[in-house]
Amino acid sequence: MISRAASTVCARCLSRGFERGFAGFRERVGRVADAAIRARHAVLGLVLLVLIGSVGFVAGGHIGSEAMPSIDGDVLEARILMPQGTPLTRTQAVAAQVEAAMRQLDAELSPQQPEGAALVEAIQTRFNHNPSAQEAGPHVATVIVDLLEAERRTLSLDALTEAWRAAIGPIAGIHSLLIQEPGFGPAGIPVEIRLQGEDLDALKAAALDASEELAGYAAVFNVIDDLRPGKPQRRYQLAEGAHGLGLTAEEVAAQLRAAWLGEIADSQRIGAWDIEILVRQAKDDRNDLDDLADQTIQLADGQRVPLSAVARVSEQRDWARITRIDGRRTVTIAADVDARLASGQAIVSDLRARWLSDFQARHPRVEVQFEGQVANAAETGGSIRRGLLIGLLGIFVILSFQFRGYVEPLIVMLTIPLAFVGAIWGHVLMGYYLSMPSLIGAASLAGIVVNNAILLIQFINTNRALGLSAAAAAGQASRQRLRAILISSLTTIVGLAPLLAETSSQADAIKPLVISVVFGLLSATVLVLLVIPALYVLLDDLGLARPRVRAD
């Protein structure tokens, strides 16, 4: 009984001590609010300065933006693209060189991993496979590496990509070697430039120009376009006088096809099987394009003449693939961006400001469009902005019914841009780019931060109805609502704080959203207690915030 009584007395002492401490804290906050009310014109100027400065900070490009946060995965691919016509043996040799470089890195870096775990868990090579090239054949291959989990690795994929490329070294005759993760995620390709026109040669020249410009950025790598030469070809055209020998183009082509591909001369039935007899030249006589120089053509009288006597030959390479979008010939240049150095949005913005006009002057017959992450982010951002505007309109209508006027709802909704300021500087403090999750978190703040301001304005009006002046009513309302505002804000902030401290790669996808909410609430909590009372009294000075007295 004694111990229970002692614990009760101790709890009461702690409670009274906390109440006395909080009462002192509440009074200090009230005095700061009173000072802000007295200096309300300066407060208004300071708020405008912060708002304009924050908008200018973002517009000036001092904080980067991206469609989605960059998250390290556990798989890395080296996509090999050789020129069309490359034999499989050469592609195999290149793939072996790429694989050997990764095994060398594994031997060097595995001792640096936690508990000596192997950096590379498995390596496989797939021939006739290259998703970036969108081609098939013996000239393409992909080396796929399964890595140690991102949470346990001591180096990022960007750092490993650089080390792998350096270990591979130069490869003679290769068209492109792209080292990247298997996919780009929902945001799309970081930089994607789409060129449209009718002249393929002009499109290729423009694509090379754009690719060279992209390659000049230190943060850009894996630049590739989809208009590439096809296999080497030899085109034959009947020479003058060939018709006099009784030859036609169709007949010459049929003889060449029969010599190289063969012609069914007969078929024999052996048991239950029908065996076709294919006749063609020996393999050694049709193993190379140069063997065509020794080819002969049979005339109608049985005589044979050299192919060079009846046909003219020209060497050329047509385009491997021609892409059409909306019926127009299109070339797409794609590139990846090192998120440690820049974002896709920053690269595209710089291209538009510094390079695009000169490019269009050099290539007037080519139209330019920016797709990928930039286009996807613009579409999603526009959708979020439209939804936010509709939500703000709904909040204003509801508050207008609540306060039976239009001034108090505007005062309440001033907390929304003030919360956005906190979200912006929260990203700067935490070192994150603004992204789609950031915008979603900022939009959600609109419905959160107004709750505290609504009751604060309601208490100010109630105090004024009791006969207090606008300044006294505003200062008293800050004191009265301090506990409730702190409780409602801190519970949300403390609940989200573990996500800010989370170090797993999975949490990186939602951290920008959490940053927007936490830092937006922090700034809105302080500003609601200090700025809203000052602005209310300032509007009262102008005769716009008079309390409405209901008739009995």
Side-chain angles (χ1 to χ4, degrees):
M1 295 295 294
I2 296 176
S3 60
R4 181 180 299 178
S7 61
T8 302
V9 171
C10 183
R12 290 177 179 174
C13 291
L14 290 176
S15 177
R16 286 195 294 268
F18 175 81
E19 290 297 333
R20 286 195 300 270
F22 187 81
F25 172 72
R26 179 172 53 199
E27 186 57 32
R28 287 191 294 272
V29 172
R31 287 197 292 267
V32 174
D34 292 339
I37 292 171
R38 290 192 296 271
R40 47 191 174 272
H41 296 89
V43 169
L44 175 61
L46 183 60
V47 168
L48 292 177
L49 177 64
V50 171
L51 287 174
I52 296 173
S54 299
V55 173
F57 186 82
V58 175
H62 300 290
I63 177 172
S65 61
E66 59 184 355
M68 292 293 292
S70 177
I71 303 174
D72 273 359
D74 302 331
V75 179
L76 199 58
E77 293 184 351
R79 299 176 178 179
I80 301 167
L81 174 61
M82 304 295 289
Q84 284 206 10
T86 301
L88 179 59
T89 54
R90 174 56 183 159
T91 306
Q92 289 174 330
V94 173
Q97 179 179 344
V98 172
E99 181 177 342
M102 176 52 72
R103 295 195 182 278
Q104 176 187 347
L105 286 177
D106 181 37
E108 295 175 357
L109 299 176
S110 290
Q112 303 175 15
Q113 307 309 310
E115 303 175 359
L119 175 64
V120 176
E121 296 183 348
I123 299 179
Q124 61 173 311
T125 301
R126 295 183 60 184
F127 294 96
N128 193 35
H129 176 74
N130 187 328
S132 298
Q134 299 180 6
E135 294 180 15
H139 64 294
V140 296
T142 301
V143 179
I144 306 171
V145 181
D146 294 326
L147 300 168
L148 188 66
E149 295 88 348
E151 291 81 2
R152 299 179 61 193
R153 289 200 308 266
T154 58
L155 74 168
S156 65
L157 280 186
D158 290 329
L160 183 59
T161 298
E162 290 181 5
W164 194 7
R165 192 178 294 278
I168 293 171
I171 299 176
I174 194 169
H175 188 283
S176 69
L177 175 62
L178 308 184
I179 301 178
Q180 63 180 65
E181 292 188 73
F184 290 104
I189 300 173
V191 178
E192 184 177 355
I193 303 176
R194 182 178 295 173
L195 308 178
Q196 290 187 316
E198 295 303 322
D199 188 341
L200 289 175
D201 292 331
L203 284 174
K204 184 60 179 178
L208 292 175
D209 190 351
S211 298
E212 182 180 358
E213 181 66 25
L214 284 173
Y217 289 93
V220 176
F221 60 99
N222 288 346
V223 182
I224 187 173
D225 68 79
D226 61 357
L227 185 62
R228 295 181 290 271
K231 295 180 179 180
Q233 299 177 0
R234 289 190 178 182
R235 175 171 293 182
Y236 289 86
Q237 185 176 9
L238 279 182
E240 296 179 1
H243 288 288
L245 297 175
L247 293 175
T248 63
E250 182 180 0
E251 185 174 354
V252 172
Q255 291 192 36
L256 290 177
R257 182 168 52 252
W260 284 69
L261 300 180
E263 188 172 277
I264 298 175
D266 195 5
S267 63
Q268 297 288 333
R269 185 172 185 83
I270 302 176
W273 300 93
D274 287 330
I275 307 300
E276 293 180 342
I277 300 174
L278 183 70
V279 180
R280 59 182 174 181
Q281 292 186 165
K283 184 176 181 181
D284 292 340
D285 294 334
R286 53 181 174 83
N287 207 26
D288 192 273
L289 285 176
D290 292 333
D291 291 333
L292 282 170
D294 302 326
Q295 187 71 44
T296 59
I297 301 297
Q298 183 174 347
L299 303 179
D301 58 3
Q303 297 184 13
R304 306 189 73 87
V305 296
L307 177 63
S308 58
V310 296
R312 293 193 302 269
V313 60
S314 61
E315 295 188 2
Q316 67 180 49
R317 298 182 74 152
D318 288 334
W319 303 110
R321 183 169 62 96
I322 300 174
T323 303
R324 284 181 169 83
I325 297 178
D326 295 332
R328 303 192 62 189
R329 291 175 170 177
T330 304
V331 179
T332 301
I333 302 103
D336 205 350
V337 176
D338 188 344
R340 299 172 301 174
L341 303 177
S343 64
Q345 179 66 58
I347 298 296
V348 171
S349 298
D350 185 69
L351 288 173
R352 282 173 167 163
R354 182 185 53 81
W355 168 80
L356 183 57
S357 58
D358 292 338
F359 175 82
Q360 291 176 323
R362 291 193 301 271
H363 306 280
R365 294 180 296 170
V366 176
E367 296 182 10
V368 184
Q369 299 176 14
F370 290 95
E371 301 293 334
Q373 286 188 3
V374 175
N376 295 339
E379 181 180 359
T380 305
S383 177
I384 293 176
R385 284 190 291 270
R386 288 191 297 271
L388 178 60
L389 289 175
I390 295 173
L392 293 178
L393 180 61
I395 292 174
F396 180 79
V397 171
I398 293 173
L399 293 180
S400 299
F401 283 109
Q402 169 68 27
F403 291 107
R404 299 177 181 271
Y406 303 108
V407 176
E408 287 89 348
L410 291 177
I411 300 175
V412 170
M413 294 180 68
L414 281 174
T415 58
I416 297 175
L418 299 179
F420 289 170
V421 169
I424 292 172
W425 291 104
H427 282 77
V428 175
L429 181 63
M430 298 294 291
Y432 277 76
Y433 290 146
L434 293 175
S435 58
M436 287 299 106
S438 307
L439 296 182
I440 295 173
S444 67
L445 280 173
I448 299 174
V449 298
V450 296
N451 296 330
N452 292 328
I454 291 172
L455 290 178
L456 183 67
I457 297 297
Q458 190 67 42
F459 269 66
I460 293 176
N461 289 336
T462 300
N463 291 336
R464 294 196 67 183
L466 296 176
L468 295 179
S469 64
Q476 184 62 25
S478 292
R479 293 171 172 84
Q480 293 170 331
R481 294 299 303 164
L482 176 62
R483 185 192 296 267
I485 289 175
L486 289 180
I487 290 175
S488 63
S489 298
L490 290 179
T491 50
T492 303
I493 293 172
V494 172
L496 294 174
L499 286 176
L500 288 180
E502 180 60 48
T503 58
S504 66
S505 58
Q506 290 83 356
D508 288 338
I510 60 172
K511 269 191 176 181
L513 185 151
V514 177
I515 290 172
S516 294
V517 174
V518 169
F519 285 90
L521 275 177
L522 279 174
S523 63
T525 299
V526 175
L527 296 173
V528 162
L529 292 170
L530 304 179
V531 174
I532 296 300
L535 295 181
Y536 180 93
V537 177
L538 183 61
L539 291 175
D540 183 76
D541 294 341
L542 300 175
L544 300 175
R546 301 299 183 187
R548 290 166 176 79
V549 180
R550 296 183 182 180
D552 294 334

